[in-house]
C-alpha cells in the first residue's frame, strides 16, 4: 500500500515536471517563454512555421555531431525525460503493453500539439520519435522490475 502511494506521489511530481520544464520550457523565468512565443509569432509572419513533419530532419545534424555536448544532450534529454512516463503508465497498466504505449504516445503528441497551438515550442516529429523511445525504455524497465 505504501509503495502505491509513493508511486502515485512520484507520478504527480513527474507530471508537474513535464508541464513546467518540457511543455513550458520553464528555466526560472517566464521571460524566455514569452520571448520564444514572440519569436515564433514573428517567424510565422515571415512564412515560417514551428513544425517539422519530416522524420530525422532535426535529429540528423545531432547524430552527425553526437560527440558535441549540445548534440548528445539534446538526443539523450529527449529520451531520458520520457523514461518515467513509460514506467509509470506501464506500472498502472502492467497487463496491457499496447494500451500503455498508446497512452504514452498520446501524452507525447499532446505535448507537441500544445507547443504548436500555444506557440511555446516546436511540433517536431523527431521529438516524438525520441520521446517514444524513452517511454518504451520505461515500459521495458517496469516489465523487468515486475518479473523480479
Amino acid at each position: 500500500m505504501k509503495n502505491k502511494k509513493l508511486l502515485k506521489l512520484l507520478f504527480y511530481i513527474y507530471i508537474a515536471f513535464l508541464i513546467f520544464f518540457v511543455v513550458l520550457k520553464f528555466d526560472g523565468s517566464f521571460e524566455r517563454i514569452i520571448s520564444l512565443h514572440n519569436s515564433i509569432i514573428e517567424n510565422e509572419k515571415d512564412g515560417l512555421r514551428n513544425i517539422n513533419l519530416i522524420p530525422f530532419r532535426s535529429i540528423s545534424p545531432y547524430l552527425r555531431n553526437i560527440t558535441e555536448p549540445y548534440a548528445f544532450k539534446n538526443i539523450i534529454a529527449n529520451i531520458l525525460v520520457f523514461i518515467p512516463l513509460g514506467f509509470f503508465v506501464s506500472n498502472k497498466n502492467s497487463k496491457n503493453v499496447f494500451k500503455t504505449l498508446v497512452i504514452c504516445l498520446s501524452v507525447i503528441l499532446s505535448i507537441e500539439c500544445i507547443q504548436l497551438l500555444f506557440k511555446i515550442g516546436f511540433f517536431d516529429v523527431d521529438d516524438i520519435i525520441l520521446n517514444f523511445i524513452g517511454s518504451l525504455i520505461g515500459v521495458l524497465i517496469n516489465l523487468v522490475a515486475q518479473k523480479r
Side-chain angles (χ1 to χ4, degrees):
M1 188 68 166
K2 232 180 193 184
N3 282 344
K4 285 189 178 200
K5 284 185 179 185
L6 178 62
L7 276 175
K8 195 173 190 176
L9 175 65
L10 290 173
F11 175 72
Y12 289 134
I13 291 169
Y14 173 71
I15 293 300
F17 168 84
L18 275 182
I19 292 168
F20 278 101
F21 299 107
V22 176
V23 176
L24 296 175
K25 296 172 181 25
F26 186 71
D27 64 354
S29 167
F30 286 104
E31 290 175 23
R32 185 174 172 279
I33 299 168
I34 293 167
S35 175
L36 177 60
H37 175 76
N38 291 336
S39 173
I40 290 170
I41 290 172
E42 287 300 314
N43 286 341
E44 284 184 349
K45 288 179 185 175
D46 294 335
L48 302 171
R49 297 280 303 171
N50 61 328
I51 188 167
N52 169 37
L53 298 175
I54 301 169
F56 304 104
R57 176 189 240 169
S58 62
I59 294 175
S60 293
Y62 291 123
L63 290 174
R64 281 194 298 275
N65 297 299
I66 196 68
T67 57
E68 296 293 328
Y70 74 90
F72 183 77
K73 179 182 169 191
N74 182 281
I75 289 174
I76 295 304
N78 270 298
I79 293 171
L80 286 178
V81 167
F82 284 86
I83 291 174
L85 178 67
F87 179 84
F88 286 125
V89 175
S90 176
N91 191 275
K92 191 72 174 161
N93 299 300
S94 59
K95 297 199 188 318
N96 192 336
V97 174
F98 180 76
K99 181 179 177 182
T100 296
L101 294 176
V102 168
I103 292 169
C104 289
L105 187 57
S106 297
V107 170
I108 293 164
L109 285 170
S110 295
I111 290 171
E112 293 296 315
C113 287
I114 288 168
Q115 290 178 349
L116 176 68
L117 293 172
F118 292 100
K119 301 174 186 352
I120 53 175
F122 297 89
F123 183 101
D124 191 347
V125 70
D126 291 343
D127 285 348
I128 294 168
I129 292 167
L130 294 171
N131 298 164
F132 190 73
I133 290 169
S135 294
L136 188 56
I137 292 168
V139 169
L140 294 174
I141 290 170
N142 185 57
L143 291 174
V144 168
Q146 285 184 353
K147 292 199 185 221
R148 291 183 169 208

